[in-house]
Amino acid sequence: NAGVTQTPKFQVLKTGQSMTLQCAQDMNHNSMYWYRQDPGMGLRLIYYSASEGTTDKGEVPNGYNVSRLNKREFSLRLESAAPSQTSVYFCASSEIRGSTDTQYFGPGTRLTVL
Amino acid sequence: EDKVVQSPLSLVVHEGDTVTLNCSYEVTNFRSLLWYKQEKKAPTFLFMLTSSGIEKKSGRLSSILDKKELSSILNITATQTGDSAIYLCAVVWLEYGNKLVFGAGTILRVKS
């Protein structure tokens, strides 16, 4: 049981390049999330998927797109990377079960855009 | 705008000290508040608190929610160097399932 996995762990891009961050979970959770974390700003929600087949914008969606490929996988795409997108990206998943709101996080992807 | 504010932003203590971290929120349709500990990588879950006001404990850590004050505290007694981390508070909106709004975090450093 690996929990939430993310690839790659590190990535360096040039301005204007595109890339896709991959996320997968093996906990059979319905909901999945993408966050970015910048110094002094905590975690900010980029997009989320409450269930397979649905996606919604979070707090900072501009410059990103997502795909909920199936129940396990939720990918984040940067179509034209900008230096402002240099950040650490975390994927998370959760199951709304009674009063449980816990989200489980992947190890993160450290992205640098030059 | 809904927001979550944590204080202090950072603090340094010595091993054995007791620390109290604060989290206040301005969130409509509050559902629950979560505390996470983040060391070098992913945040790991500590506690979930609801309006019931029940204190949660785990070893040297404890946390409680004050629904009147719209705030929560996280206490760590007899601190150890392994407690050094960023402590994140997040609030769940009732209207959005369990979409989380995070505070900026408190950086705790415990010196030996």
Side-chain angles (χ1 to χ4, degrees):
Chain A
N1 192 342
V4 181
T5 57
Q6 291 182 235
T7 56
K9 288 187 169 57
F10 301 94
Q11 184 71 49
V12 178
L13 294 177
K14 294 181 180 178
T15 297
Q17 288 185 316
S18 62
M19 78 160 296
T20 300
L21 281 64
Q22 306 287 352
C23 174
Q25 52 92 8
D26 62 3
M27 295 175 283
N28 202 35
H29 287 164
N30 280 320
S31 302
M32 296 185 75
Y33 310 81
W34 276 106
Y35 293 90
R36 61 178 288 174
Q37 186 175 33
D38 303 294
M41 301 191 75
L43 284 147
R44 292 183 293 168
L45 184 65
I46 305 171
Y47 270 95
Y48 67 104
S49 172
S51 61
E52 187 178 353
T54 69
T55 60
D56 287 285
K57 294 178 181 179
E59 185 183 352
V60 288
N62 291 342
Y64 305 95
N65 284 300
V66 290
S67 295
R68 184 72 184 267
L69 305 170
N70 47 56
K71 191 171 184 179
R72 289 188 65 249
E73 299 172 290
F74 188 38
S75 63
L76 178 72
R77 183 161 179 84
L78 286 70
E79 290 290 351
S80 179
S84 62
Q85 294 178 305
T86 293
S87 187
V88 180
Y89 291 85
F90 287 100
C91 176
S93 71
S94 71
E95 185 62 61
I96 302 172
R97 189 182 304 128
S99 60
T100 300
D101 286 328
T102 305
Q103 292 188 7
Y104 297 89
F105 287 81
T109 295
R110 185 173 294 275
L111 175 66
T112 301
V113 183
L114 302 175
Chain B
E1 183 178 315
D2 297 310
K3 62 179 180 181
V4 179
V5 178
Q6 292 186 243
S7 63
L9 291 179
S10 67
L11 75 161
V12 180
V13 300
H14 288 94
E15 272 191 315
D17 289 349
T18 294
V19 298
T20 298
L21 310 183
N22 298 282
C23 175
S24 64
Y25 56 93
E26 296 175 17
V27 174
T28 55
N29 296 314
F30 168 85
R31 175 174 160 138
S32 62
L33 184 146
L34 291 85
W35 283 97
Y36 285 86
K37 178 182 181 182
Q38 184 178 23
E39 295 175 86
K40 299 206 171 177
K41 291 188 176 178
T44 53
F45 173 75
L46 293 175
F47 299 114
M48 187 184 83
L49 303 162
T50 66
S51 300
S52 67
I54 295 174
E55 183 181 21
K56 296 291 180 74
K57 289 185 177 182
S58 177
R60 296 176 294 101
L61 278 65
S62 64
S63 183
I64 193 163
L65 184 91
D66 184 333
K67 65 178 180 178
K68 286 185 181 177
E69 295 295 325
L70 303 183
S71 65
S72 173
I73 59 171
L74 174 67
N75 280 320
I76 308 174
T77 59
T79 52
Q80 303 171 356
T81 54
D83 295 325
S84 297
I86 301 173
Y87 289 84
L88 296 165
C89 168
V91 175
V92 182
W93 285 335
L94 186 64
E95 293 179 355
Y96 296 98
N98 55 346
K99 189 166 126 179
L100 301 182
V101 179
F102 279 87
T106 293
I107 302 171
L108 173 65
R109 181 178 163 215
V110 181
K111 296 169 71 172
S112 57

